[in-house]
Amino acid sequence: MTTNYRDPVQLAQALIRCRSVTPVEGGALTLLEDVLRPAGFTCHRLTMTEPGTPDVENLYARLGTGAPHLCFAGHTDVVPVGDESRWSRPPFSAEIADGVLYGRGAADMKGCIASFAVAALDYIQAGGLKRGSISFLITGDEEGVGVNGTVKVLEWM
């Protein structure tokens, strides 16, 4: 079955299946870049570093250059799963049971990223971006030490 990345549930499932345990990117940022770039977003992959901490990959994607500028911020990294045998469902399976999506990051925050990404893409496709810009600042360092993510991307900007 082909994944429809314009469906927020299917995009959330694809993101959950990425093993993006801090500080590993796990394919989640690559997936988002692959979804946003065809819609016209200019994507920047930024690896940030700080002595004594692991390097972290981040994604900044933007469509448009003017104001107003709406930026969605989020993270694709998740905390370690611990003993996977203690989970009622595999943490990276993105299984749906009784209408509930299960998996590491479903609520915090891969499901949220999928929702706002698809909403933005739908808005753009419907002709909604006539002025201004929309961007995504997605880090892989929210669940870790938190020094190689959002703050450094904002400084880069």
Side-chain angles (χ1 to χ4, degrees):
M1 181 171 101
T2 303
T3 301
N4 176 6
Y5 294 129
R6 297 301 294 268
D7 177 305
V9 174
Q10 290 185 34
L11 180 55
Q13 286 179 295
L15 287 169
I16 290 165
R17 290 182 183 121
C18 296
R19 290 181 171 265
S20 53
V21 178
T22 307
V24 176
E25 185 268 335
L29 297 178
T30 300
L31 173 60
L32 283 173
E33 187 174 357
D34 290 345
V35 169
L36 296 172
R37 189 179 302 278
F41 283 82
T42 299
C43 297
H44 302 274
R45 289 292 286 276
L46 306 161
T47 301
M48 301 304 187
T49 186
E50 181 76 26
T53 67
D55 291 351
V56 173
E57 289 187 62
N58 302 277
L59 173 66
Y60 180 70
R62 185 170 177 160
L63 179 66
T65 57
H69 176 197
L70 175 64
C71 180
F72 293 97
H75 66 94
T76 54
D77 61 319
V78 298
V79 296
V81 298
D83 182 357
E84 288 193 38
S85 69
R86 300 196 62 190
W87 284 66
S88 61
R89 291 173 172 79
F92 297 103
S93 68
E95 177 183 333
I96 297 175
D98 297 321
V100 177
L101 175 59
Y102 290 90
R104 181 60 95 200
D108 181 22
M109 103 168 271
K110 293 177 178 183
C112 301
I113 290 171
S115 295
F116 61 63
V118 171
L121 293 172
D122 287 350
Y123 178 74
I124 292 161
Q125 184 177 24
L129 189 64
K130 296 185 181 15
R131 65 183 182 90
S133 55
I134 297 174
S135 68
F136 293 85
L137 191 167
I138 309 297
T139 183
D141 194 30
E142 195 275 340
E143 299 292 1
V145 295
V147 298
N148 290 318
T150 302
V151 171
K152 287 197 176 179
V153 174
L154 291 172
E155 290 171 357
W156 170 84
M157 291 170 58

